[in-house]
Amino acid sequence: MSKPIAGNHNDLFDIEVYFEDITSQLIDAEISLSGLFINADAGFDSQKLRKILTDRNNS
């Protein structure tokens, strides 16, 4: 979801920033987020990302 970043970072590093960036790009391209799903490996399974997705879905 992001450009390569120098240093030792896990998959969820700055996930809020990168998720907002990618969803903004989709919206700018007039691609609806309704019905979209994320197919990610276990490295992205976190309460933090689940909350971001839930908040986005409820807005």
Side-chain angles (χ1 to χ4, degrees), residues 4-54:
I5 304 168
N8 186 12
H9 304 289
N10 67 25
D11 291 338
L12 293 170
F13 177 75
D14 274 350
I15 192 67
E16 304 95 332
V17 174
Y18 296 113
F19 186 77
E20 181 61 34
D21 181 49
I22 200 163
T23 54
S24 293
Q25 289 180 45
L26 291 170
I27 292 167
D28 290 348
E30 298 180 3
I31 298 171
S32 173
L33 303 180
S34 178
L36 292 180
F37 63 92
I38 292 180
N39 183 9
D41 67 21
F44 288 96
D45 188 11
S46 73
Q47 290 301 319
K48 184 178 185 179
L49 182 54
R50 287 175 187 230
K51 180 168 179 6
I52 292 168
L53 296 172
T54 300

